[in-house]
Amino acid sequence: QLQLQESGPGLVKPSETLSLTCTVSGGSISSSSYYWGWIRQPPGKGLEWIGSIYYSGSTYYNPSLKSRVTISVDTSKNQFSLKLSSVTAADTAVYYCARLNLLRIQLWFDYWGQGTLVTVSS
Amino acid sequence: SYVLTQPPSVSVAPGKTARITCGGNNIGSKSVHWYQQKPGQAPVLVIYYDSDRPSGIPERFSGSNSGNTATLTISRVEAGDEADYYCQVWDSSIVVFGGGTKLTVL
């Protein structure tokens, strides 16, 4: 059974960089059939896609966050990571990592991590 | 950018049928995917490719997509179906989520 687990600091200071890692177990991150992505959800609000990455390193980003986001992959560790720079209180959210199924040029999220709350505060 | 519009809330009595809509410009030409999210939990995929169900999802969950509206239909609604539901598309290399609909079981 595929499992994804987010890890990283739960508290980040304003203007600093938020860094999270997603560890994938029960399957290979190097499969050609999947992308891997980050989604966030501010308290009491809806889902917001941050970006996605293929095992080769090819990325797609949400245009509204693109200038501050970097997603990378480490196939040797079966992990992918998120960096979000210059954070503000508006970046406080539960951050999820997830697998995207790729079929016929369509992508959807079929496995999700449990999510991790990141609070931006001094 | 592409916008998906969902009603904020839908209410239904147990045993009845709930329909949650997702509106978008010519959404019928795209593939729509649906997620269920219960409080404090990660979202769960309930419908992909407009109308396909992942294994483990009850047959009570179905989907359709035509014109400017995609619909998630939940038949014989149970108390355990109370949750937030989100639609999602992949458009121009961007993932787009709808704003979400809170399903209340009366």
Side-chain angles (χ1 to χ4, degrees):
Chain A
Q1 178 76 352
L2 189 79
Q3 292 187 323
L4 298 92
Q5 180 66 57
E6 305 90 350
S7 60
L11 180 64
V12 181
K13 290 182 169 55
S15 80
E16 295 190 343
T17 296
L18 179 159
S19 296
L20 295 173
T21 295
C22 182
T23 300
V24 179
S25 58
S28 174
I29 204 169
S30 299
S31 171
S32 61
S33 300
Y34 307 111
Y35 273 74
W36 306 88
W38 291 96
I39 307 95
R40 70 180 184 179
Q41 185 171 37
K45 296 189 177 181
L47 302 171
E48 179 180 33
W49 173 68
I50 300 171
S52 299
I53 191 165
Y54 198 51
Y55 75 94
S56 63
S58 172
T59 54
Y60 296 109
Y61 294 135
N62 185 327
S64 67
L65 298 170
K66 187 174 183 177
S67 63
R68 299 194 292 132
V69 172
T70 301
I71 296 176
S72 58
V73 63
D74 187 337
T75 56
S76 67
K77 296 182 179 179
N78 230 32
Q79 295 176 333
F80 61 105
S81 299
L82 167 69
K83 291 189 184 300
L84 179 65
S85 64
S86 305
V87 298
T88 70
D91 294 309
T92 294
V94 174
Y95 285 75
Y96 295 100
C97 62
R99 187 180 83 172
L100 293 100
N101 204 318
L102 170 63
L103 183 63
R104 299 197 293 269
I105 320 178
Q106 281 298 313
L107 287 172
W108 65 92
F109 300 94
D110 59 358
Y111 283 92
W112 296 67
Q114 65 185 24
T116 187
L117 174 63
V118 179
T119 301
V120 178
S121 175
S122 56
Chain B
S1 61
Y2 196 74
V3 176
L4 296 174
T5 302
Q6 298 183 238
S9 63
V10 167
S11 298
V12 63
K16 300 299 186 182
T17 297
R19 294 179 179 85
I20 299 172
T21 59
C22 177
N25 184 32
N26 197 26
I27 195 174
S29 66
K30 306 180 188 301
S31 292
V32 180
H33 320 293
W34 291 92
Y35 305 88
Q36 175 194 69
Q37 186 182 31
K38 296 182 179 180
Q41 299 183 18
V44 172
L45 179 71
V46 293
I47 293 288
Y48 65 100
Y49 256 109
D50 295 339
S51 59
D52 289 344
R53 271 178 295 103
S55 60
I57 300 301
E59 292 183 6
R60 301 185 297 105
F61 288 80
S62 62
S64 62
N65 185 17
S66 178
N68 292 317
T69 304
T71 303
L72 172 68
T73 301
I74 309 172
S75 304
R76 301 181 301 282
V77 167
E78 303 174 356
D81 298 330
E82 187 162 285
D84 294 326
Y85 291 84
Y86 295 89
C87 57
Q88 176 249 312
V89 301
W90 170 251
D91 178 78
S92 301
S93 303
I94 295 173
V95 171
V96 181
F97 284 106
T101 298
K102 181 176 180 57
L103 176 67
T104 299
V105 181
L106 301 171

